[in-house]
Every structure is written in structure tokens, then in C-alpha cells.
Amino acid sequence: MKKTLLVAAVSAMMAAPMGAWAHGSCDDDANHCAFWHDSKGVYVKDSAGDCVRTSSWTADAVVEGCTAMPEPMAKAMEPMAKEPMAPKDSDGDGVIDEKDQCPNTAKGVQVDANGCEFVKFEDIAAQLDVKFATDSDAVTSAFDSEMRPIALILSQNPGTVIEINGHTDSTGSEAYNQKLSERRAQAVVDYLVDNYGVNRDQLKAIGHGEMMPIADNATSEGRRANRRVETSVQGRVRK
């Protein structure tokens, strides 16, 4: 049946006016002239859907739509798939922009899974024991080494509030010493605020007068130990 259809197709083409069907010059394209096509380059097919071969056809002829394409050539004619773009990491911290919650991290800074600086913390404690001259509430820089860790802990723990406790020796009246102890406590509060920027709301000045001695007021050494302002604090700070 197929042979009969092919003969009929060829007979029809032979009967058509010259130029109605052509296969071009084989010097131009040997593959193209292996099958009959019209002037627009549309290949003629028989009723079975096969392209009608010309006398120039050879087994090596390869035409898309008429013959099976060799695998390498078929792949070459396939549209090239676009390679997916690599995720962008603008600050180069190893976390792509889509997941980076802290953009523009400085170069070389260690970051966590969110692209934010990886911070290590440690728990520390600090104590303050400021001494005073007799009948004085003046705070000197001699106690700065004790002030600094207090200020550090408070600055990194803004919810922490501490008591600044003022004391005196037993020299003078009890009423006078109560007021003196309050002034000493307030002087330390002011020193921390003015010199270290501590939030005043985190400090509570309390005077205890001469009521809480830690040494014997009968000796000069004991009285010196009792003229003091004390506090302590602990908290978590960045390493």
C-alpha cells in the first residue's frame, strides 16, 4: 500500500508544471535536496507522513522532520538550558542575601546561620569597695579599676538595677553619719554616670550610716575600713 502511495505522489509531482516542485542544487545543501520540497522549503510528504525522497537521496541524508536525527546533532539543535544563577552573597560572609538578616557584615567577621556576627558571652561578677577620708564624700580615680567592670556589666544588662551602699565610721553623731553615708553613696552613683555613662536608673543610692561596721571603730585601721561604699553585680557580657 505504501509503495502504491509513493508512486502516486511521485506521479503527481511529475505531472505538475515545471518549478512547482524542486529540490534545489545539491551543491548548496546535500541534505536539503535529498527530499522533495516546495519553493518555500516545505517538504512533501506522502499519505503515510514520510518525506518523499529525490534521486539525490542517500542513506547519510539527515533532515529534521524527515529522518531520525543522530543523537549528537539532535542535542546540538536543542535549545541550550540556562544555567541557574548562583545565589548572591553581597557581603561575602557565606550566607546568601535571601537568608542574611545582617547585611553588610564587615569582612572577616565570624557570623551565625542568619549572617549576623557570632557573639560569645561569659558570666562575670564584680565588686566595688570605695574608701573615703574622714568626713569626706570625694571619690577619687584610685578606684577606677573597680568601677570599669561594674559599668561594663550594667551597660550590657540594661534591666539590671543595683544598690550602692554608703557607710561611715562611728566618728560624729549618728544623724550626721547617716547623711554622710547617703552623700557617699550618691557620689559613687554620680561618678559612674558621669565617667562611664551608666544609666542612672540602674543605680540606687542607699545610706546606712554607722550601723553596719565591718571592723573595730576603736582603731584607725578599723575606722578607715568602715568609711566605704560597697556594691556588687553579676551579669552576662560579650567576650
Side-chain angles (χ1 to χ4, degrees):
M1 178 65 178
K2 185 175 180 180
K3 185 175 182 181
T4 302
L5 292 171
L6 178 58
V7 171
V10 173
S11 297
M13 290 191 301
M14 295 296 291
M18 290 294 291
W21 304 98
H23 57 77
S25 171
C26 291
D27 294 334
D28 298 332
D29 186 347
N31 286 327
H32 192 54
C33 69
F35 298 92
W36 285 98
H37 59 275
D38 63 16
S39 59
K40 295 182 179 180
V42 178
Y43 289 98
V44 178
K45 296 187 178 182
D46 59 23
S47 59
D50 295 324
C51 294
V52 180
R53 299 174 181 175
T54 70
S55 59
S56 301
W57 179 87
T58 65
D60 295 331
V62 177
V63 174
E64 185 178 8
C66 289
T67 56
M69 304 278 290
E71 187 174 347
M73 182 177 294
K75 286 188 176 295
M77 296 184 67
E78 291 178 359
M80 293 185 66
K82 292 183 179 180
E83 293 186 7
M85 294 183 63
K88 195 172 182 181
D89 179 14
S90 300
D91 55 11
D93 61 1
V95 178
I96 62 174
D97 290 355
E98 183 181 347
K99 297 182 178 180
D100 199 336
Q101 296 181 15
C102 299
N104 304 318
T105 302
K107 297 294 183 183
V109 173
Q110 186 179 3
V111 299
D112 58 21
N114 297 318
C116 299
E117 182 178 357
F118 184 76
V119 180
K120 293 182 178 180
F121 291 90
E122 62 179 340
D123 292 319
I124 66 172
Q127 292 183 328
L128 180 64
D129 184 9
V130 180
K131 301 300 185 185
F132 294 85
T134 301
D135 197 23
S136 171
D137 59 10
V139 180
T140 70
S141 60
F143 300 96
D144 278 4
S145 61
E146 296 181 36
M147 298 278 193
R148 279 190 289 270
I150 298 290
L152 174 65
I153 294 172
L154 291 175
S155 66
Q156 296 190 28
N157 296 271
T160 298
V161 177
I162 62 174
E163 293 181 354
I164 307 297
N165 298 292
H167 304 273
T168 70
D169 60 24
S170 59
T171 304
S173 69
E174 185 177 319
Y176 181 84
N177 287 335
Q178 177 61 38
K179 294 295 185 182
L180 178 58
S181 67
E182 293 172 4
R183 292 200 306 271
R184 285 174 174 169
Q186 189 60 50
V188 171
V189 168
D190 294 340
Y191 194 94
L192 285 166
V193 171
D194 296 341
N195 293 277
Y196 293 98
V198 175
N199 184 344
R200 192 178 293 275
D201 292 338
Q202 292 180 265
L203 306 169
K204 184 177 181 181
I206 300 176
H208 299 278
E210 60 184 74
M211 305 308 294
M212 299 176 65
I214 57 173
D216 189 354
N217 278 313
T219 66
S220 59
E221 292 80 6
R223 289 191 295 273
R224 180 182 181 279
N226 290 332
R227 296 191 299 268
R228 70 197 190 279
V229 166
E230 298 174 318
T231 193
S232 63
V233 63
Q234 62 181 19
R236 176 162 290 192
V237 299
R238 294 174 58 169
K239 280 190 173 182

